[in-house]
Amino acid sequence: MISNNEMIRIRRQMQRRIRDVVAERRRTREQNPAPVSPASPGADQEVCVADNGPG
């Protein structure tokens, strides 16, 4: 069985690894920004709905 101290150590180690991976991905994203894809036709258009009053 895993002792409480070992569980805490493992949890901290996992959190550190996750933080390192997130930081590395952030650095990679900042160095290589994703290309901006052109919006599909009509993507920015508003949809207008007629208001015919009550009923």
Side-chain angles (χ1 to χ4, degrees):
M1 187 169 146
I2 298 177
S3 70
N4 197 31
N5 288 339
E6 287 176 307
M7 186 65 74
I8 292 170
R9 182 184 59 78
I10 291 170
R11 185 176 295 128
R12 286 181 179 161
Q13 185 178 25
M14 290 172 61
Q15 289 172 341
R16 194 175 311 120
R17 287 180 181 174
I18 292 170
R19 191 174 58 240
D20 290 347
V21 168
V22 169
E24 183 176 346
R25 288 183 181 176
R26 184 180 300 126
R27 282 192 300 269
T28 303
R29 220 177 15 249
E30 289 172 355
Q31 290 174 358
N32 305 322
V36 178
S37 60
S40 60
D44 294 336
Q45 295 178 355
E46 292 184 20
V47 176
C48 297
V49 179
D51 183 9
N52 295 331

